[in-house]
Amino acid sequence: MFSWRITKYNPKNRDERGSYLDGREWTCFSEVGTKVSEEDYLRTESNYINAITTFMGEMGLNRVYLNALEMWSDEVANQNASGFLSKMWVGKGVTTQEINELAKLTLRNVIWCKLSYKNDFFVHFGYDYYMYIGANKDCPNARKKVRASGLFVENFNSPYLH
């Protein structure tokens, strides 16, 4: 299984242990308007969501399954996501459109989820705008396209595999 860490963080700004050193970097949706403009935030969020569908495209997938789901009620209400989330459950097959919404809500710290397709593909989300994608194929075209969007694709095992 191939596994990558997908982030907006330049690996050149990491120390020898992998810690990110640039404290000026924004790390979450709550920093829109203080550390990041809404326009820059939305562009980055879109790049992350597109990364998922780009890898799925190279894998030939048009749906995955929801493997884990945690919701934070205050934020669910703030993002007007109650109706959408009432139709989500662990084990549900989710379409690309639903994946886009789940990813957006996860990146905005409204929910946390894990997505996968059998043992062939996964998407995991970490704290501070870290995302992990794994596939049973190398996906060179997807990696190239995601890098061209401005995100960094590093070989990295997801800490959320268990």
Side-chain angles (χ1 to χ4, degrees):
M1 178 73 97
F2 297 90
S3 186
W4 304 277
R5 176 171 61 189
I6 314 290
T7 69
K8 63 188 192 69
Y9 307 115
N10 188 333
K12 293 178 183 174
N13 296 328
R14 294 186 187 282
D15 66 16
E16 63 280 351
R17 294 184 323 261
S19 298
Y20 201 72
L21 302 174
D22 186 353
R24 297 167 299 172
E25 188 74 63
W26 62 271
T27 60
C28 67
F29 180 70
S30 65
E31 294 175 302
V32 171
T34 57
K35 280 190 153 185
V36 61
S37 70
E38 183 176 9
E39 179 184 348
D40 286 345
Y41 176 85
L42 291 173
R43 181 176 52 253
T44 302
E45 179 182 81
S46 179
N47 288 342
Y48 273 69
I49 294 167
N50 290 338
I52 297 168
T53 56
T54 298
F55 274 91
M56 285 179 63
E58 188 153 345
M59 290 292 297
L61 300 173
N62 61 8
R63 76 173 45 236
V64 295
Y65 293 87
L66 188 56
N67 293 107
L69 178 63
E70 296 175 10
M71 293 182 254
W72 294 279
S73 60
D74 292 347
E75 288 304 313
V76 168
N78 291 342
Q79 291 288 320
N80 298 316
S82 298
F84 170 76
L85 290 171
S86 70
K87 300 173 190 146
M88 295 294 121
W89 62 86
V90 172
K92 180 184 188 320
V94 290
T95 65
T96 302
Q97 184 177 353
E98 291 168 324
I99 292 162
N100 292 347
E101 188 66 15
L102 287 166
K104 179 183 91 171
L105 293 171
T106 303
L107 292 167
R108 293 183 181 191
N109 297 321
V110 176
I111 65 169
W112 177 80
C113 70
K114 289 170 54 173
L115 306 167
S116 71
Y117 183 81
K118 299 182 181 180
N119 289 322
D120 298 338
F121 180 79
F122 69 77
V123 179
H124 298 159
F125 297 91
Y127 297 101
D128 296 339
Y129 243 75
Y130 282 80
M131 185 170 71
Y132 306 89
I133 293 180
N136 67 358
K137 297 179 184 173
D138 192 24
C139 299
N141 297 324
R143 289 185 289 118
K144 183 178 179 181
K145 191 171 182 181
V146 170
R147 284 187 184 109
S149 78
L151 297 180
F152 297 92
V153 180
E154 305 167 84
N155 292 330
F156 200 92
N157 289 327
S158 171
Y160 301 95
L161 283 172
H162 303 288

